[in-house]
Amino acid sequence: MRSELMNVFALSLLLVGLQTQSAGPARQKAAGLPLEKLELHNVKAEPVTHLGRSAVRITDAGAEGLDDAGRLAIVPGSSFQDGTIEVNLTGDTAPDARPEFRGFVGIAFRVSADRSHFECLYLRPKNGRSEDQLQRNHSVQYISIPGFPWQKLRSESPGKYESYVDLVPGQWTQVKIQVAGSRARLYVNGAEQPVLVVNDLKQTSTNGSIALWVGLGTIAHFSELKVTP
């Protein structure tokens, strides 16, 4: 059953198909995802073309006090435990965002049905070319909900769950996440080596949904989501 779901979902999914015109054969083959089927939680979504790519724009629409568990656009029909997730994404801050916000954007996986449990790897694009080296070292981050927000992981295990990678706010970044049991690897822009290695994913290894994840004050874009077992 899982393999059948993955084949149906074996997305070359352009998170496009978001336009309303009738679908031709190429679009049908690409398994375009209708915008209205994304399950939105404290975010807004709209189809756009961004820097030459058809994409979905995800914008923070939650209250400022909402924690990192709150802003998700769940991909319907997704079922993922182990495998590879690939996507092109961008992250930047809204015009009225506070200066300390960093354009937080990433992918949540193994999301439970009630959204109370998931793993997440995300980027902080505004840190990638900071003049502050310590801030650069916080360019990519792992969190695990519940119980392991970035603040706890940073204070208890400094440097273990975050790392540096060159990022540019608002520009397309290619992301690949490989997951196997309690291990995850994050690759950026086709690099052969991961920019972040997590050997102890905190939640129980189980099937769950995939979600587009954003943080406070973020405007993000997602395109060409592909999931393989």
Side-chain angles (χ1 to χ4, degrees):
M1 179 65 175
R2 178 171 175 263
S3 62
E4 291 176 359
L5 282 171
M6 291 305 298
N7 287 336
V8 171
F9 184 61
L11 288 171
S12 253
L13 188 150
L14 298 180
L15 281 177
V16 301
L18 299 172
Q19 284 77 3
T20 57
Q21 66 264 33
S22 60
R27 183 177 151 206
Q28 290 173 344
K29 185 176 180 180
L33 176 66
L35 178 64
E36 64 272 13
K37 291 188 178 180
L38 284 172
E39 183 184 317
L40 305 179
H41 299 278
N42 300 299
V43 296
K44 296 187 295 184
E46 59 182 323
V48 297
T49 298
H50 180 72
L51 299 180
R53 293 180 187 267
S54 295
V56 58
R57 176 179 292 153
I58 302 291
T59 306
D60 171 22
E64 187 161 324
L66 193 66
D67 65 17
D68 287 341
R71 299 169 177 84
L72 297 170
I74 295 176
V75 179
S78 55
S79 178
F80 180 87
Q81 181 172 352
D82 292 336
T84 301
I85 303 167
E86 298 174 77
V87 69
N88 290 294
L89 54 74
T90 80
D92 206 345
T93 50
D96 59 348
R98 298 209 310 257
E100 64 266 32
F101 295 166
R102 314 311 293 165
F104 318 105
V105 57
I107 294 291
F109 55 95
R110 298 179 179 171
V111 183
S112 63
D114 63 359
R115 308 182 310 282
S116 64
H117 292 70
F118 62 81
E119 312 283 10
C120 181
L121 290 164
Y122 71 89
L123 315 182
R124 298 186 181 99
K126 284 199 165 183
N127 284 356
R129 296 188 178 182
S130 171
E131 290 300 311
D132 182 319
Q133 183 59 51
L134 184 58
Q135 196 167 44
R136 285 191 179 215
N137 295 344
H138 303 322
S139 296
V140 299
Q141 177 77 50
Y142 164 69
I143 57 172
S144 185
I145 304 300
F148 299 91
W150 67 267
Q151 301 95 324
K152 175 183 175 70
L153 294 174
R154 183 179 295 176
S155 64
E156 295 183 357
S157 304
K160 183 176 180 180
Y161 297 103
E162 54 190 327
S163 185
Y164 164 73
V165 68
D166 184 28
L167 299 170
V168 179
Q171 298 295 310
W172 286 112
T173 300
Q174 181 189 38
V175 167
K176 181 171 74 172
I177 299 169
Q178 292 181 336
V179 181
S182 61
R183 296 176 290 113
R185 303 287 186 268
L186 173 64
Y187 300 81
V188 172
N189 288 333
E192 291 186 6
Q193 291 297 315
V195 300
L196 185 62
V197 173
V198 180
N199 289 319
D200 56 344
L201 295 174
K202 304 302 184 183
Q203 306 302 320
T204 301
S205 177
T206 186
N207 274 345
S209 298
I210 293 170
L212 316 179
W213 180 96
V214 300
L216 193 60
T218 294
I219 297 176
H221 300 87
F222 296 83
S223 182
E224 298 172 336
L225 176 64
K226 182 180 179 182
V227 181
T228 52

mmCIF file of all heavy atoms in Angstrom, residues 154-202:
data_model
loop_
_atom_site.group_PDB
_atom_site.id
_atom_site.type_symbol
_atom_site.label_atom_id
_atom_site.label_comp_id
_atom_site.label_asym_id
_atom_site.label_seq_id
_atom_site.Cartn_x
_atom_site.Cartn_y
_atom_site.Cartn_z
ATOM 1 N N ARG A 154 19.805 24.305 20.735
ATOM 2 C CA ARG A 154 20.997 25.168 20.715
ATOM 3 C C ARG A 154 21.608 25.305 22.091
ATOM 4 O O ARG A 154 22.841 25.298 22.248
ATOM 5 C CB ARG A 154 20.648 26.548 20.150
ATOM 6 C CG ARG A 154 21.868 27.467 20.030
ATOM 7 C CD ARG A 154 21.510 28.819 19.454
ATOM 8 N NE ARG A 154 21.037 28.717 18.074
ATOM 9 C CZ ARG A 154 20.585 29.748 17.371
ATOM 10 N NH1 ARG A 154 20.528 30.963 17.937
ATOM 11 N NH2 ARG A 154 20.181 29.577 16.126
ATOM 12 N N SER A 155 20.780 25.440 23.118
ATOM 13 C CA SER A 155 21.318 25.640 24.462
ATOM 14 C C SER A 155 21.922 24.362 25.031
ATOM 15 O O SER A 155 22.946 24.401 25.725
ATOM 16 C CB SER A 155 20.223 26.163 25.404
ATOM 17 O OG SER A 155 19.195 25.199 25.567
ATOM 18 N N GLU A 156 21.320 23.199 24.728
ATOM 19 C CA GLU A 156 21.790 21.943 25.307
ATOM 20 C C GLU A 156 22.870 21.263 24.464
ATOM 21 O O GLU A 156 23.698 20.526 25.005
ATOM 22 C CB GLU A 156 20.612 20.991 25.509
ATOM 23 C CG GLU A 156 19.599 21.502 26.531
ATOM 24 C CD GLU A 156 18.469 20.530 26.784
ATOM 25 O OE1 GLU A 156 18.429 19.460 26.131
ATOM 26 O OE2 GLU A 156 17.619 20.823 27.647
ATOM 27 N N SER A 157 22.854 21.506 23.155
ATOM 28 C CA SER A 157 23.840 20.879 22.256
ATOM 29 C C SER A 157 24.316 21.896 21.237
ATOM 30 O O SER A 157 24.005 21.802 20.043
ATOM 31 C CB SER A 157 23.224 19.665 21.545
ATOM 32 O OG SER A 157 22.720 18.728 22.457
ATOM 33 N N PRO A 158 25.076 22.904 21.648
ATOM 34 C CA PRO A 158 25.472 23.986 20.740
ATOM 35 C C PRO A 158 26.179 23.456 19.491
ATOM 36 O O PRO A 158 27.110 22.659 19.575
ATOM 37 C CB PRO A 158 26.427 24.828 21.591
ATOM 38 C CG PRO A 158 26.053 24.518 22.998
ATOM 39 C CD PRO A 158 25.631 23.080 22.999
ATOM 40 N N GLY A 159 25.681 23.889 18.330
ATOM 41 C CA GLY A 159 26.317 23.556 17.063
ATOM 42 C C GLY A 159 25.985 22.195 16.496
ATOM 43 O O GLY A 159 26.338 21.909 15.350
ATOM 44 N N LYS A 160 25.285 21.341 17.256
ATOM 45 C CA LYS A 160 25.039 19.979 16.797
ATOM 46 C C LYS A 160 23.903 19.888 15.790
ATOM 47 O O LYS A 160 23.950 19.059 14.873
ATOM 48 C CB LYS A 160 24.731 19.074 17.987
ATOM 49 C CG LYS A 160 24.521 17.610 17.606
ATOM 50 C CD LYS A 160 24.311 16.738 18.825
ATOM 51 C CE LYS A 160 24.099 15.270 18.431
ATOM 52 N NZ LYS A 160 23.884 14.406 19.612
ATOM 53 N N TYR A 161 22.901 20.717 15.926
ATOM 54 C CA TYR A 161 21.695 20.597 15.105
ATOM 55 C C TYR A 161 21.507 21.778 14.156
ATOM 56 O O TYR A 161 20.413 22.011 13.668
ATOM 57 C CB TYR A 161 20.469 20.434 16.005
ATOM 58 C CG TYR A 161 20.526 19.172 16.833
ATOM 59 C CD1 TYR A 161 20.859 19.222 18.187
ATOM 60 C CD2 TYR A 161 20.286 17.929 16.259
ATOM 61 C CE1 TYR A 161 20.931 18.064 18.947
ATOM 62 C CE2 TYR A 161 20.356 16.767 17.007
ATOM 63 C CZ TYR A 161 20.680 16.840 18.353
ATOM 64 O OH TYR A 161 20.751 15.686 19.096
ATOM 65 N N GLU A 162 22.560 22.530 13.892
ATOM 66 C CA GLU A 162 22.512 23.630 12.937
ATOM 67 C C GLU A 162 23.894 23.802 12.332
ATOM 68 O O GLU A 162 24.892 23.322 12.859
ATOM 69 C CB GLU A 162 22.012 24.917 13.578
ATOM 70 C CG GLU A 162 22.757 25.352 14.819
ATOM 71 C CD GLU A 162 22.068 26.487 15.548
ATOM 72 O OE1 GLU A 162 21.435 27.341 14.886
ATOM 73 O OE2 GLU A 162 22.157 26.528 16.781
ATOM 74 N N SER A 163 23.937 24.500 11.188
ATOM 75 C CA SER A 163 25.199 24.602 10.469
ATOM 76 C C SER A 163 25.149 25.773 9.497
ATOM 77 O O SER A 163 24.125 26.448 9.359
ATOM 78 C CB SER A 163 25.473 23.288 9.719
ATOM 79 O OG SER A 163 26.738 23.312 9.101
ATOM 80 N N TYR A 164 26.270 25.985 8.816
ATOM 81 C CA TYR A 164 26.387 27.042 7.812
ATOM 82 C C TYR A 164 26.188 26.499 6.406
ATOM 83 O O TYR A 164 26.629 25.389 6.079
ATOM 84 C CB TYR A 164 27.766 27.705 7.888
ATOM 85 C CG TYR A 164 28.073 28.521 6.648
ATOM 86 C CD1 TYR A 164 27.431 29.742 6.439
ATOM 87 C CD2 TYR A 164 28.933 28.044 5.667
ATOM 88 C CE1 TYR A 164 27.674 30.473 5.280
ATOM 89 C CE2 TYR A 164 29.182 28.770 4.509
ATOM 90 C CZ TYR A 164 28.542 29.983 4.329
ATOM 91 O OH TYR A 164 28.762 30.694 3.182
ATOM 92 N N VAL A 165 25.539 27.287 5.567
ATOM 93 C CA VAL A 165 25.549 27.064 4.126
ATOM 94 C C VAL A 165 25.284 28.414 3.468
ATOM 95 O O VAL A 165 24.611 29.276 4.039
ATOM 96 C CB VAL A 165 24.494 26.015 3.690
ATOM 97 C CG1 VAL A 165 23.077 26.522 3.886
ATOM 98 C CG2 VAL A 165 24.732 25.595 2.239
ATOM 99 N N ASP A 166 25.831 28.605 2.297
ATOM 100 C CA ASP A 166 25.634 29.859 1.570
ATOM 101 C C ASP A 166 24.194 29.934 1.073
ATOM 102 O O ASP A 166 23.732 29.057 0.337
ATOM 103 C CB ASP A 166 26.604 29.933 0.394
ATOM 104 C CG ASP A 166 26.509 31.253 -0.353
ATOM 105 O OD1 ASP A 166 26.138 32.271 0.268
ATOM 106 O OD2 ASP A 166 26.812 31.265 -1.561
ATOM 107 N N LEU A 167 23.479 30.973 1.466
ATOM 108 C CA LEU A 167 22.085 31.180 1.076
ATOM 109 C C LEU A 167 21.873 32.637 0.717
ATOM 110 O O LEU A 167 22.546 33.525 1.247
ATOM 111 C CB LEU A 167 21.137 30.814 2.228
ATOM 112 C CG LEU A 167 21.162 29.367 2.730
ATOM 113 C CD1 LEU A 167 20.363 29.256 4.020
ATOM 114 C CD2 LEU A 167 20.615 28.423 1.673
ATOM 115 N N VAL A 168 20.892 32.882 -0.173
ATOM 116 C CA VAL A 168 20.524 34.240 -0.558
ATOM 117 C C VAL A 168 19.018 34.393 -0.377
ATOM 118 O O VAL A 168 18.250 33.615 -0.968
ATOM 119 C CB VAL A 168 20.912 34.551 -2.018
ATOM 120 C CG1 VAL A 168 20.494 35.972 -2.385
ATOM 121 C CG2 VAL A 168 22.407 34.357 -2.220
ATOM 122 N N PRO A 169 18.558 35.342 0.420
ATOM 123 C CA PRO A 169 17.124 35.507 0.633
ATOM 124 C C PRO A 169 16.377 35.730 -0.683
ATOM 125 O O PRO A 169 16.830 36.479 -1.551
ATOM 126 C CB PRO A 169 17.033 36.747 1.526
ATOM 127 C CG PRO A 169 18.370 36.853 2.167
ATOM 128 C CD PRO A 169 19.349 36.317 1.186
ATOM 129 N N GLY A 170 15.251 35.049 -0.836
ATOM 130 C CA GLY A 170 14.403 35.241 -2.009
ATOM 131 C C GLY A 170 14.851 34.517 -3.259
ATOM 132 O O GLY A 170 14.119 34.481 -4.248
ATOM 133 N N GLN A 171 16.052 33.928 -3.252
ATOM 134 C CA GLN A 171 16.563 33.214 -4.415
ATOM 135 C C GLN A 171 16.286 31.716 -4.276
ATOM 136 O O GLN A 171 16.236 31.177 -3.163
ATOM 137 C CB GLN A 171 18.073 33.435 -4.549
ATOM 138 C CG GLN A 171 18.456 34.886 -4.773
ATOM 139 C CD GLN A 171 17.943 35.430 -6.093
ATOM 140 O OE1 GLN A 171 18.137 34.802 -7.138
ATOM 141 N NE2 GLN A 171 17.307 36.583 -6.058
ATOM 142 N N TRP A 172 16.144 31.042 -5.412
ATOM 143 C CA TRP A 172 15.856 29.619 -5.378
ATOM 144 C C TRP A 172 17.024 28.829 -4.786
ATOM 145 O O TRP A 172 18.179 29.055 -5.123
ATOM 146 C CB TRP A 172 15.553 29.092 -6.782
ATOM 147 C CG TRP A 172 14.208 29.498 -7.286
ATOM 148 C CD1 TRP A 172 13.942 30.358 -8.318
ATOM 149 C CD2 TRP A 172 12.934 29.050 -6.792
ATOM 150 N NE1 TRP A 172 12.580 30.477 -8.495
ATOM 151 C CE2 TRP A 172 11.943 29.690 -7.573
ATOM 152 C CE3 TRP A 172 12.547 28.187 -5.776
ATOM 153 C CZ2 TRP A 172 10.580 29.485 -7.350
ATOM 154 C CZ3 TRP A 172 11.197 27.983 -5.542
ATOM 155 C CH2 TRP A 172 10.229 28.623 -6.332
ATOM 156 N N THR A 173 16.697 27.911 -3.902
ATOM 157 C CA THR A 173 17.655 26.997 -3.296
ATOM 158 C C THR A 173 17.138 25.575 -3.498
ATOM 159 O O THR A 173 15.969 25.285 -3.203
ATOM 160 C CB THR A 173 17.818 27.274 -1.794
ATOM 161 O OG1 THR A 173 18.288 28.606 -1.607
ATOM 162 C CG2 THR A 173 18.802 26.310 -1.161
ATOM 163 N N GLN A 174 17.987 24.701 -3.999
ATOM 164 C CA GLN A 174 17.621 23.300 -4.170
ATOM 165 C C GLN A 174 17.925 22.548 -2.874
ATOM 166 O O GLN A 174 19.051 22.591 -2.365
ATOM 167 C CB GLN A 174 18.400 22.682 -5.330
ATOM 168 C CG GLN A 174 18.048 21.225 -5.594
ATOM 169 C CD GLN A 174 18.990 20.585 -6.590
ATOM 170 O OE1 GLN A 174 20.191 20.859 -6.586
ATOM 171 N NE2 GLN A 174 18.456 19.748 -7.454
ATOM 172 N N VAL A 175 16.914 21.872 -2.358
ATOM 173 C CA VAL A 175 17.047 21.161 -1.086
ATOM 174 C C VAL A 175 16.747 19.680 -1.298
ATOM 175 O O VAL A 175 15.795 19.321 -1.994
ATOM 176 C CB VAL A 175 16.079 21.755 -0.036
ATOM 177 C CG1 VAL A 175 15.960 20.844 1.187
ATOM 178 C CG2 VAL A 175 16.544 23.143 0.385
ATOM 179 N N LYS A 176 17.570 18.825 -0.702
ATOM 180 C CA LYS A 176 17.318 17.377 -0.689
ATOM 181 C C LYS A 176 17.474 16.876 0.736
ATOM 182 O O LYS A 176 18.469 17.170 1.406
ATOM 183 C CB LYS A 176 18.277 16.643 -1.621
ATOM 184 C CG LYS A 176 18.039 15.124 -1.648
ATOM 185 C CD LYS A 176 18.851 14.442 -2.748
ATOM 186 C CE LYS A 176 20.318 14.355 -2.397
ATOM 187 N NZ LYS A 176 21.077 13.521 -3.373
ATOM 188 N N ILE A 177 16.473 16.129 1.195
ATOM 189 C CA ILE A 177 16.491 15.553 2.536
ATOM 190 C C ILE A 177 16.407 14.039 2.408
ATOM 191 O O ILE A 177 15.464 13.515 1.818
ATOM 192 C CB ILE A 177 15.313 16.072 3.378
ATOM 193 C CG1 ILE A 177 15.391 17.598 3.537
ATOM 194 C CG2 ILE A 177 15.280 15.390 4.744
ATOM 195 C CD1 ILE A 177 14.139 18.220 4.126
ATOM 196 N N GLN A 178 17.390 13.342 2.946
ATOM 197 C CA GLN A 178 17.382 11.884 2.964
ATOM 198 C C GLN A 178 17.115 11.423 4.396
ATOM 199 O O GLN A 178 17.778 11.881 5.336
ATOM 200 C CB GLN A 178 18.719 11.328 2.477
ATOM 201 C CG GLN A 178 18.986 11.577 1.013
ATOM 202 C CD GLN A 178 20.314 11.005 0.541
ATOM 203 O OE1 GLN A 178 21.238 10.811 1.331
ATOM 204 N NE2 GLN A 178 20.421 10.750 -0.754
ATOM 205 N N VAL A 179 16.149 10.515 4.545
ATOM 206 C CA VAL A 179 15.734 10.058 5.867
ATOM 207 C C VAL A 179 15.764 8.534 5.900
ATOM 208 O O VAL A 179 15.248 7.873 4.991
ATOM 209 C CB VAL A 179 14.312 10.551 6.204
ATOM 210 C CG1 VAL A 179 13.908 10.092 7.600
ATOM 211 C CG2 VAL A 179 14.215 12.072 6.093
ATOM 212 N N ALA A 180 16.375 7.977 6.951
ATOM 213 C CA ALA A 180 16.398 6.526 7.151
ATOM 214 C C ALA A 180 16.396 6.261 8.649
ATOM 215 O O ALA A 180 17.394 6.560 9.333
ATOM 216 C CB ALA A 180 17.617 5.894 6.495
ATOM 217 N N GLY A 181 15.297 5.747 9.165
ATOM 218 C CA GLY A 181 15.209 5.465 10.593
ATOM 219 C C GLY A 181 15.379 6.710 11.430
ATOM 220 O O GLY A 181 14.614 7.670 11.311
ATOM 221 N N SER A 182 16.416 6.724 12.254
ATOM 222 C CA SER A 182 16.655 7.872 13.130
ATOM 223 C C SER A 182 17.649 8.859 12.544
ATOM 224 O O SER A 182 18.111 9.769 13.230
ATOM 225 C CB SER A 182 17.182 7.385 14.488
ATOM 226 O OG SER A 182 18.416 6.697 14.323
ATOM 227 N N ARG A 183 17.969 8.692 11.253
ATOM 228 C CA ARG A 183 18.985 9.544 10.627
ATOM 229 C C ARG A 183 18.392 10.399 9.515
ATOM 230 O O ARG A 183 17.528 9.961 8.772
ATOM 231 C CB ARG A 183 20.117 8.687 10.054
ATOM 232 C CG ARG A 183 20.890 7.910 11.115
ATOM 233 C CD ARG A 183 21.936 7.001 10.510
ATOM 234 N NE ARG A 183 21.317 5.861 9.809
ATOM 235 C CZ ARG A 183 21.374 5.678 8.515
ATOM 236 N NH1 ARG A 183 22.002 6.537 7.725
ATOM 237 N NH2 ARG A 183 20.811 4.612 7.973
ATOM 238 N N ALA A 184 18.903 11.625 9.395
ATOM 239 C CA ALA A 184 18.511 12.518 8.301
ATOM 240 C C ALA A 184 19.736 13.273 7.816
ATOM 241 O O ALA A 184 20.637 13.599 8.608
ATOM 242 C CB ALA A 184 17.431 13.499 8.750
ATOM 243 N N ARG A 185 19.760 13.535 6.509
ATOM 244 C CA ARG A 185 20.839 14.294 5.886
ATOM 245 C C ARG A 185 20.218 15.401 5.046
ATOM 246 O O ARG A 185 19.288 15.152 4.269
ATOM 247 C CB ARG A 185 21.693 13.398 4.978
ATOM 248 C CG ARG A 185 22.298 12.176 5.689
ATOM 249 C CD ARG A 185 23.430 12.589 6.606
ATOM 250 N NE ARG A 185 24.108 11.431 7.194
ATOM 251 C CZ ARG A 185 23.778 10.888 8.362
ATOM 252 N NH1 ARG A 185 22.734 11.361 9.029
ATOM 253 N NH2 ARG A 185 24.452 9.868 8.854
ATOM 254 N N LEU A 186 20.747 16.603 5.167
ATOM 255 C CA LEU A 186 20.264 17.745 4.392
ATOM 256 C C LEU A 186 21.333 18.177 3.410
ATOM 257 O O LEU A 186 22.467 18.492 3.799
ATOM 258 C CB LEU A 186 19.919 18.909 5.332
ATOM 259 C CG LEU A 186 19.550 20.234 4.668
ATOM 260 C CD1 LEU A 186 18.271 20.106 3.845
ATOM 261 C CD2 LEU A 186 19.416 21.338 5.705
ATOM 262 N N TYR A 187 20.962 18.183 2.113
ATOM 263 C CA TYR A 187 21.856 18.616 1.042
ATOM 264 C C TYR A 187 21.286 19.876 0.404
ATOM 265 O O TYR A 187 20.069 20.008 0.266
ATOM 266 C CB TYR A 187 21.972 17.528 -0.031
ATOM 267 C CG TYR A 187 22.517 16.207 0.453
ATOM 268 C CD1 TYR A 187 21.694 15.291 1.099
ATOM 269 C CD2 TYR A 187 23.854 15.866 0.231
ATOM 270 C CE1 TYR A 187 22.191 14.062 1.529
ATOM 271 C CE2 TYR A 187 24.356 14.638 0.654
ATOM 272 C CZ TYR A 187 23.517 13.747 1.307
ATOM 273 O OH TYR A 187 24.009 12.533 1.729
ATOM 274 N N VAL A 188 22.164 20.762 -0.009
ATOM 275 C CA VAL A 188 21.739 22.041 -0.584
ATOM 276 C C VAL A 188 22.453 22.281 -1.909
ATOM 277 O O VAL A 188 23.672 22.087 -2.018
ATOM 278 C CB VAL A 188 22.017 23.198 0.403
ATOM 279 C CG1 VAL A 188 21.771 24.550 -0.263
ATOM 280 C CG2 VAL A 188 21.134 23.054 1.635
ATOM 281 N N ASN A 189 21.671 22.665 -2.905
ATOM 282 C CA ASN A 189 22.192 23.080 -4.219
ATOM 283 C C ASN A 189 23.102 22.040 -4.866
ATOM 284 O O ASN A 189 24.143 22.364 -5.449
ATOM 285 C CB ASN A 189 22.902 24.433 -4.113
ATOM 286 C CG ASN A 189 21.920 25.568 -3.911
ATOM 287 O OD1 ASN A 189 20.758 25.490 -4.319
ATOM 288 N ND2 ASN A 189 22.366 26.647 -3.273
ATOM 289 N N GLY A 190 22.694 20.776 -4.769
ATOM 290 C CA GLY A 190 23.384 19.714 -5.481
ATOM 291 C C GLY A 190 24.711 19.281 -4.912
ATOM 292 O O GLY A 190 25.433 18.491 -5.548
ATOM 293 N N ALA A 191 25.043 19.743 -3.715
ATOM 294 C CA ALA A 191 26.327 19.353 -3.111
ATOM 295 C C ALA A 191 26.370 17.851 -2.860
ATOM 296 O O ALA A 191 25.358 17.240 -2.516
ATOM 297 C CB ALA A 191 26.539 20.103 -1.806
ATOM 298 N N GLU A 192 27.555 17.251 -3.023
ATOM 299 C CA GLU A 192 27.701 15.816 -2.781
ATOM 300 C C GLU A 192 27.670 15.487 -1.295
ATOM 301 O O GLU A 192 27.284 14.382 -0.908
ATOM 302 C CB GLU A 192 29.018 15.320 -3.387
ATOM 303 C CG GLU A 192 29.030 15.327 -4.911
ATOM 304 C CD GLU A 192 30.280 14.692 -5.473
ATOM 305 O OE1 GLU A 192 31.084 14.142 -4.664
ATOM 306 O OE2 GLU A 192 30.455 14.722 -6.704
ATOM 307 N N GLN A 193 28.094 16.430 -0.473
ATOM 308 C CA GLN A 193 28.118 16.209 0.967
ATOM 309 C C GLN A 193 26.991 16.993 1.651
ATOM 310 O O GLN A 193 26.663 18.106 1.245
ATOM 311 C CB GLN A 193 29.464 16.642 1.554
ATOM 312 C CG GLN A 193 30.630 15.762 1.142
ATOM 313 C CD GLN A 193 30.463 14.344 1.641
ATOM 314 O OE1 GLN A 193 30.110 14.115 2.799
ATOM 315 N NE2 GLN A 193 30.730 13.375 0.768
ATOM 316 N N PRO A 194 26.402 16.427 2.708
ATOM 317 C CA PRO A 194 25.332 17.139 3.409
ATOM 318 C C PRO A 194 25.863 18.340 4.173
ATOM 319 O O PRO A 194 26.993 18.330 4.667
ATOM 320 C CB PRO A 194 24.771 16.076 4.367
ATOM 321 C CG PRO A 194 25.902 15.117 4.576
ATOM 322 C CD PRO A 194 26.662 15.089 3.282
ATOM 323 N N VAL A 195 25.030 19.351 4.292
ATOM 324 C CA VAL A 195 25.388 20.516 5.094
ATOM 325 C C VAL A 195 24.978 20.321 6.546
ATOM 326 O O VAL A 195 25.472 21.025 7.431
ATOM 327 C CB VAL A 195 24.753 21.805 4.536
ATOM 328 C CG1 VAL A 195 25.231 22.058 3.125
ATOM 329 C CG2 VAL A 195 23.231 21.751 4.583
ATOM 330 N N LEU A 196 24.071 19.358 6.790
ATOM 331 C CA LEU A 196 23.662 19.056 8.159
ATOM 332 C C LEU A 196 23.391 17.561 8.267
ATOM 333 O O LEU A 196 22.693 16.984 7.426
ATOM 334 C CB LEU A 196 22.414 19.844 8.551
ATOM 335 C CG LEU A 196 21.954 19.714 10.005
ATOM 336 C CD1 LEU A 196 23.027 20.248 10.960
ATOM 337 C CD2 LEU A 196 20.644 20.454 10.243
ATOM 338 N N VAL A 197 23.948 16.949 9.305
ATOM 339 C CA VAL A 197 23.800 15.517 9.577
ATOM 340 C C VAL A 197 23.123 15.369 10.936
ATOM 341 O O VAL A 197 23.620 15.882 11.945
ATOM 342 C CB VAL A 197 25.170 14.811 9.600
ATOM 343 C CG1 VAL A 197 25.020 13.357 10.051
ATOM 344 C CG2 VAL A 197 25.836 14.886 8.230
ATOM 345 N N VAL A 198 21.986 14.686 10.950
ATOM 346 C CA VAL A 198 21.285 14.410 12.205
ATOM 347 C C VAL A 198 21.211 12.896 12.367
ATOM 348 O O VAL A 198 20.592 12.215 11.549
ATOM 349 C CB VAL A 198 19.870 15.023 12.210
ATOM 350 C CG1 VAL A 198 19.160 14.714 13.532
ATOM 351 C CG2 VAL A 198 19.921 16.531 11.980
ATOM 352 N N ASN A 199 21.831 12.383 13.408
ATOM 353 C CA ASN A 199 21.876 10.938 13.627
ATOM 354 C C ASN A 199 20.911 10.459 14.701
ATOM 355 O O ASN A 199 20.874 9.259 15.012
ATOM 356 C CB ASN A 199 23.299 10.513 14.015
ATOM 357 C CG ASN A 199 24.254 10.610 12.849
ATOM 358 O OD1 ASN A 199 23.912 10.263 11.720
ATOM 359 N ND2 ASN A 199 25.463 11.101 13.113
ATOM 360 N N ASP A 200 20.131 11.382 15.255
ATOM 361 C CA ASP A 200 19.246 11.021 16.357
ATOM 362 C C ASP A 200 17.924 11.790 16.277
ATOM 363 O O ASP A 200 17.603 12.576 17.157
ATOM 364 C CB ASP A 200 19.928 11.261 17.703
ATOM 365 C CG ASP A 200 20.416 12.703 17.871
ATOM 366 O OD1 ASP A 200 20.507 13.441 16.854
ATOM 367 O OD2 ASP A 200 20.688 13.103 19.013
ATOM 368 N N LEU A 201 17.184 11.555 15.184
ATOM 369 C CA LEU A 201 15.855 12.171 15.084
ATOM 370 C C LEU A 201 15.073 11.853 16.351
ATOM 371 O O LEU A 201 15.081 10.717 16.842
ATOM 372 C CB LEU A 201 15.120 11.652 13.848
ATOM 373 C CG LEU A 201 15.738 12.014 12.491
ATOM 374 C CD1 LEU A 201 14.985 11.304 11.366
ATOM 375 C CD2 LEU A 201 15.740 13.522 12.261
ATOM 376 N N LYS A 202 14.390 12.837 16.880
ATOM 377 C CA LYS A 202 13.869 12.736 18.237
ATOM 378 C C LYS A 202 12.530 12.008 18.355
ATOM 379 O O LYS A 202 12.236 11.420 19.393
ATOM 380 C CB LYS A 202 13.724 14.141 18.833
ATOM 381 C CG LYS A 202 15.005 14.965 18.834
ATOM 382 C CD LYS A 202 16.123 14.288 19.582
ATOM 383 C CE LYS A 202 17.371 15.165 19.653
ATOM 384 N NZ LYS A 202 18.488 14.479 20.328
#
